[in-house]
Amino acid sequence: MLCEEREMAKKEYVPLFETRKVKGRILFRCIAASIFLGICFIIMYRIRYFPVGGKAERWTWIGLFLSELWFSFYWLLTTVCRWNAVIRIPFIHRLSQRFGKELPGIDIFVCTADPLIEPPSLVVNTVLSMMAYDYPPEKLSVYLSDDGGSNLTFYAMLEAANFSKTWLPFCKKFQVESTSPEAYFRTASELVNVQEWLSVKKLYEDMKMRIETTTKLNQIPEYIQKQHKGFREWDFVLSKHDHQTILQILIDGRGTNAADIEGNPLPTLVYLAREKRPQYHHHFKAGSMNALIRVSSKITNAPIILNVDCDMYSNNSKTIKSSLCIFMDEEKGDEIGYVQFPQCFYNLTKNEIYGSSLRVMLQLEVLGFDANGGPSYMGSGCFHRRETLCGKKYEKNYKVDWKKINDKKVNESASFLEETCKVLASCTFEHNTPWGKEMGLKYGTPVEDGVTGMSIQCNGWKSIYLNPERKGFLGVAPITLLQNLVQHKRWVEGVLQLFFSRYCPLLYGHRKIPLKLQLIYSTHHLWAANCLATWYIVVVPCLCLLKGISLFPKISSPWVLPFVYVTFVHRAYSLAEFLWCGGTFRGWCNDQRMWLIKRTTSYLFAFFETILKLLGYSQLNFVVTAKVADEDVSKRYDQELIEFGAASPMFDILATLAMLNLFGSLGAIKKATMDADQDSKVLDQFGLQILLCLVLVTINLPVYQALLFRKDNGKMPTSVMYKSIVFALLACMLAMY
């Protein structure tokens, strides 16, 4: 009888999400196979025609061969990872039909650290967008972790709590998707009810003005401080690095007073500034998240947790329901530990001057992650099962009773919870506990999110990547080149350190996660290692051209075909993918330029700083200098002019490499044109090398423009120009010596 019931249940089962194979897989595999064949011919050429002449010829040949082998190996890894890419399609209507009012509670964590870098008005928009999800408000709770311990941020949260009474019913009435007020009023074009629209907009602008005025003055007016007991906490705050736990439940969603202007319930809203003392390490964002996990477990204890950075607002009101389609699927949902959404940006220019969208990686490459165990945890825009964050290991017979989970209630009063939960966010609570090791986000690593995600997968859980047509979250991309390079340096340095630590995916994940997933993690962890081979390709062929050393086959030789084929087809397919993902041709050119710039600057610094740390030496001192005026920077960014402006060691390297290739190209052209009889021989022997230099010169055109022609404040500093010319000329003279 029991077997018959199970059979019937299987027949009646309708999945809440579908897994589909990515389109174009056959074409991708055919092109990949042909490129692999071409690479084999290139390797054969390098071995067969190894130079027997001078010492310089042999060593430059070996160096180039090793660089080509590295790129071939890295390409092979990324290709294998993309071999079985899949895409997930959630069915939200089925979720509503099947579970109705039995949907679980959701705790949303928003993290901020500094009111100067992350203005309170920005934080407020993110918090309001989270509160306005298309989801039962009584099952929604938003927690703000303020690691800056700022009363300015606390005041902004009070303003948000008050404005939410108007904003939430407005969003529900007009089915607003981009529920950040700033984003909505910036982009909204259709006014359903002009009078109501203008009224709500005025309320928002008044609130924003009060918050920004208070932030500018860096002081809360006395009459405002008297309006809420929470401000008394700052009487005992010594500094943002030395203060007690501050916990305030600004909206208690269980109370009858927690209602909007139409009488509907409001989500719970909680402010937390965990205790900080100079003698205790606070573990940055990981410590903040762990404090939130503990505090929320006593206040609302929702089974699903969403965490976002304070600059990533909700752009899709159905995002929660999309993720629940994964978690609550009766057949496959119980094995899912977290659901990751991509990090996208709203302030990108048409041609993405800094390539910040990473569109091919997020729309195609991560799908390979998903097919082999799931994507990594990216630190923001991620829905977690609370149990997985608390260290629970997956068991085959694990089943979630959603009804039983929903029956759990917290009966204590808000004031009681505020006092009793403070200890959970104290400096000493984690001592001699598994927190930061077996529980919560991992400590002691520069990229706590990646390690935490991998450890969840090593505990037997899988993860899912959701990338809906309407993006789930939108944030702010860097608008200067230096900001972009420093950000990427921090990322790649962190993951490279992981590769050389006990968290290396090939060791930590051995026999715990699929080999393919280990390799995918490794490709990302080894981003910085690409700098050495890239540097060799950029520098050595140019110098060898000046010295008269040929590194590639003659144009008249049939061996030139595999070099041309691999290069052309690989780049052509890259362009086709970029266009298919919604980019432009100029956007692709900018993307290629940025990858070259990052590999020769930020990746280089990241690589050597990691090596120095491993050897026990102090790290390099790299200081980010002051930027030019924000208005000027924004204007040039909108015009798609690369922002240099400040002096930086990264710009010294970038400019020197650009000038080196320019001088090399000019030297080759001079050599080819001075002797008409030798013209054809030079082009035949050095044709590919000259072409490589000219391509690099073309890529660096914006650098030459910033060095020699631009007059605005975003140009290269004069000191960088002089240094780059001197260094490049010196390298050229040494090469020709």
Side-chain angles (χ1 to χ4, degrees):
M1 189 72 178
L2 189 60
C3 290
E4 287 179 8
E5 287 179 3
R6 285 179 180 172
E7 288 282 330
M8 287 182 65
K10 274 193 173 182
K11 287 180 181 178
E12 292 173 4
Y13 166 73
V14 179
L16 293 178
F17 72 94
E18 182 183 357
T19 301
R20 297 177 187 170
K21 295 178 180 179
V22 173
K23 294 178 180 178
R25 282 168 44 150
I26 295 174
L27 176 63
F28 170 76
R29 291 177 180 181
C30 290
I31 290 175
S34 69
I35 290 174
F36 179 75
L37 187 62
I39 289 171
C40 291
F41 277 108
I42 291 173
I43 293 172
M44 286 171 59
Y45 169 79
R46 288 293 174 201
I47 296 171
R48 186 173 176 181
Y49 290 92
F50 186 81
V52 292
K55 191 175 181 181
E57 284 84 350
R58 288 199 303 273
W59 282 111
T60 52
W61 189 278
I62 290 171
L64 188 58
F65 186 31
L66 291 175
S67 299
E68 290 169 345
L69 283 177
W70 169 258
F71 283 135
S72 301
F73 169 71
Y74 196 81
W75 170 84
L76 188 61
L77 280 183
T78 56
T79 301
V80 168
C81 298
R82 288 185 56 182
W83 205 253
N84 297 307
V86 296
I87 190 168
R88 316 287 185 170
I89 310 294
F91 302 116
I92 296 174
H93 64 284
R94 293 179 185 175
L95 178 77
S96 303
Q97 290 171 1
R98 194 170 305 174
F99 291 96
K101 295 182 179 180
E102 292 182 11
L103 296 172
I106 307 290
D107 285 347
I108 302 175
F109 297 168
V110 181
C111 297
T112 185
D114 191 328
L116 298 177
I117 298 173
E118 299 161 341
S121 58
L122 175 78
V123 178
V124 159
N125 271 278
T126 299
V127 168
L128 286 168
S129 74
M130 298 297 145
M131 295 176 72
Y133 271 120
D134 179 15
Y135 200 74
E138 65 275 10
K139 298 189 177 186
L140 204 57
S141 304
V142 180
Y143 292 78
L144 177 76
S145 172
D146 179 17
D147 257 14
S150 170
N151 58 353
L152 299 174
T153 305
F154 178 72
Y155 165 67
M157 289 293 288
L158 288 175
E159 288 281 7
N162 188 48
F163 180 67
S164 68
K165 298 175 182 178
T166 303
W167 179 242
L168 269 58
F170 177 83
C171 291
K172 185 177 180 181
K173 183 176 180 180
F174 296 111
Q175 298 181 335
V176 175
E177 285 295 337
S178 190
T179 49
S180 158
E182 183 71 25
Y184 174 74
F185 290 119
R186 183 180 63 241
T187 59
S189 55
E190 295 182 10
L191 309 182
V192 181
N193 184 318
V194 177
Q195 188 174 353
E196 189 169 355
W197 190 89
L198 291 173
S199 173
V200 174
K201 184 180 181 184
K202 186 177 187 307
L203 285 174
Y204 168 67
E205 288 177 343
D206 290 345
M207 177 192 72
K208 181 182 175 183
M209 184 182 69
R210 290 194 297 272
I211 293 172
E212 290 182 346
T213 301
T214 304
T215 304
K216 189 176 181 180
L217 294 173
N218 196 26
Q219 187 177 359
I220 309 293
E222 204 170 311
Y223 75 92
I224 293 177
Q225 295 187 39
K226 292 177 181 178
Q227 293 175 9
H228 198 280
K229 62 183 176 64
F231 285 110
R232 294 182 216 149
E233 296 282 354
W234 274 269
D235 294 339
F236 309 100
V237 172
L238 298 176
S239 72
K240 69 176 183 178
H241 301 297
D242 192 0
H243 62 80
Q244 77 286 7
T245 298
I246 302 173
L247 176 62
Q248 294 290 311
I249 300 176
L250 305 180
I251 300 176
D252 184 359
R254 305 166 300 167
T256 54
N257 294 329
D260 61 32
I261 58 174
E262 295 183 359
N264 300 312
L266 287 170
T268 295
L269 181 61
V270 180
Y271 172 91
L272 172 67
R274 61 193 170 113
E275 183 185 18
K276 283 189 177 179
R277 301 300 178 192
Q279 63 269 34
Y280 294 102
H281 198 301
H282 57 83
H283 300 293
F284 308 107
K285 184 180 175 181
S288 171
M289 282 284 292
N290 288 344
L292 285 173
I293 292 169
R294 294 191 297 271
V295 169
S296 65
S297 69
K298 298 298 181 183
I299 298 175
T300 48
N301 199 32
I304 304 296
I305 293 172
L306 162 65
N307 89 278
V308 294
D309 291 337
C310 67
D311 63 340
M312 300 291 289
Y313 65 82
S314 169
N315 186 57
N316 186 336
S317 65
K318 304 289 192 299
T319 299
I320 291 179
K321 291 181 179 178
S322 295
S323 67
L324 290 181
C325 286
I326 308 298
F327 288 117
M328 301 182 77
D329 184 84
E330 292 89 342
E331 192 172 285
K332 300 176 182 177
D334 291 322
E335 64 182 4
I336 305 302
Y338 60 87
V339 177
Q340 179 68 60
F341 285 76
Q343 295 188 26
C344 304
F345 307 101
Y346 70 84
N347 64 328
L348 299 176
T349 58
K350 180 183 176 182
N351 298 304
E352 301 170 40
I353 189 67
Y354 299 123
S356 299
S357 71
L358 302 174
R359 62 173 68 243
V360 173
M361 188 182 82
L362 293 176
Q363 293 187 43
L364 293 177
E365 291 181 12
V366 182
L367 303 181
F369 248 119
D370 203 2
N372 295 288
S376 62
Y377 167 35
M378 299 178 186
S380 181
C382 189
F383 288 85
H384 292 271
R385 200 183 292 274
R386 182 181 287 271
E387 293 173 311
T388 63
L389 284 177
C390 293
K392 182 180 176 64
K393 294 186 177 181
Y394 176 72
E395 299 168 355
K396 278 190 176 182
N397 297 323
Y398 175 79
K399 286 287 178 187
V400 179
D401 187 342
W402 294 104
K403 188 174 182 181
K404 187 178 179 181
I405 288 177
N406 291 332
D407 287 340
K408 293 181 180 178
K409 302 290 181 184
V410 178
N411 298 316
E412 290 88 351
S413 67
S415 57
F416 179 81
L417 290 170
E418 285 176 350
E419 290 305 316
T420 56
C421 291
K422 284 182 179 180
V423 67
L424 301 175
S426 65
C427 292
T428 56
F429 182 84
E430 294 179 345
H431 285 191
N432 300 319
T433 71
W435 284 98
K437 297 183 280 289
E438 287 87 29
M439 295 179 69
L441 273 70
K442 299 291 181 285
Y443 294 157
T445 65
V447 280
E448 68 286 331
D449 44 10
V451 175
T452 302
M454 186 166 59
S455 67
I456 289 172
Q457 292 169 332
C458 288
N459 281 340
W461 300 93
K462 294 181 180 179
S463 59
I464 291 287
Y465 181 69
L466 280 184
N467 187 13
E469 188 174 343
R470 183 177 180 88
K471 302 305 177 187
F473 305 94
L474 291 178
V476 184
I479 63 170
T480 73
L481 180 59
L482 190 56
Q483 287 174 357
N484 202 295
L485 295 179
V486 170
Q487 183 185 67
H488 277 269
K489 174 188 170 291
R490 188 176 70 248
W491 288 348
V492 300
E493 183 180 351
V495 293
L496 185 62
Q497 287 178 31
L498 286 186
F499 189 80
F500 292 117
S501 73
R502 70 186 185 94
Y503 291 113
C504 173
L506 300 176
L507 301 175
Y508 188 71
H510 182 59
R511 293 186 177 179
K512 297 176 184 176
I513 57 177
L515 177 61
K516 272 191 179 181
L517 189 56
Q518 296 174 40
L519 294 176
I520 296 171
Y521 271 112
S522 298
T523 59
H524 289 156
H525 289 188
L526 291 171
W527 269 347
N530 284 302
C531 69
L532 299 179
T534 304
W535 252 75
Y536 198 93
I537 295 291
V538 170
V539 174
V540 174
C542 170
L543 295 178
C544 287
L545 190 61
L546 294 172
K547 197 170 179 65
I549 299 175
S550 177
L551 296 174
F552 297 98
K554 294 180 179 180
I555 299 295
S556 58
S557 168
W559 284 103
V560 79
L561 294 176
F563 286 89
V564 173
Y565 179 82
V566 169
T567 304
F568 176 77
V569 173
H570 188 262
R571 290 301 85 203
Y573 190 76
S574 167
L575 172 60
E577 282 189 329
F578 195 88
L579 296 175
W580 187 81
C581 290
T584 63
F585 175 74
R586 281 188 62 193
W588 176 78
C589 294
N590 291 332
D591 194 60
Q592 302 304 297
R593 178 183 300 112
M594 280 307 301
W595 277 114
L596 180 65
I597 290 173
K598 285 184 285 193
R599 286 185 175 191
T600 53
T601 56
S602 55
Y603 289 14
L604 183 75
F605 277 89
F607 182 82
F608 282 106
E609 284 195 18
T610 300
I611 299 301
L612 287 173
K613 286 177 182 177
L614 290 172
L615 295 174
Y617 294 100
S618 59
Q619 65 180 30
L620 295 171
N621 291 320
F622 185 83
V623 181
V624 182
T625 51
K627 314 293 189 302
V628 292
D630 289 343
E631 286 185 15
D632 293 339
V633 173
S634 298
K635 187 177 179 181
R636 287 191 289 272
Y637 178 70
D638 292 336
Q639 295 171 346
E640 297 195 330
L641 285 172
I642 294 180
E643 185 70 32
F644 297 96
S648 164
M650 291 192 187
F651 292 163
D652 292 339
I653 292 172
L654 176 61
T656 301
L657 294 178
M659 296 307 293
L660 183 65
N661 279 281
L662 179 62
F663 295 155
S665 300
L666 293 174
I669 293 169
K670 180 183 177 183
K671 186 183 292 186
T673 55
M674 278 186 68
D675 191 342
D677 296 332
Q678 297 294 319
D679 187 8
S680 59
K681 290 183 180 180
V682 169
L683 291 176
D684 185 40
Q685 187 173 2
F686 296 100
L688 286 184
Q689 252 166 285
I690 294 172
L691 182 61
L692 174 61
C693 287
L694 290 175
V695 168
L696 291 171
V697 167
T698 304
I699 289 173
N700 283 307
L701 285 177
V703 179
Y704 303 132
Q705 185 185 14
L707 281 169
L708 306 171
F709 303 111
R710 281 173 58 177
K711 303 298 181 184
D712 55 73
N713 290 333
K715 68 176 183 178
M716 280 278 197
T718 307
S719 60
V720 174
M721 180 184 69
Y722 290 144
K723 281 188 281 186
S724 66
I725 293 173
V726 170
F727 291 152
L729 285 174
L730 185 61
C732 291
M733 286 188 291
L734 289 173
M736 292 185 291
Y737 178 70

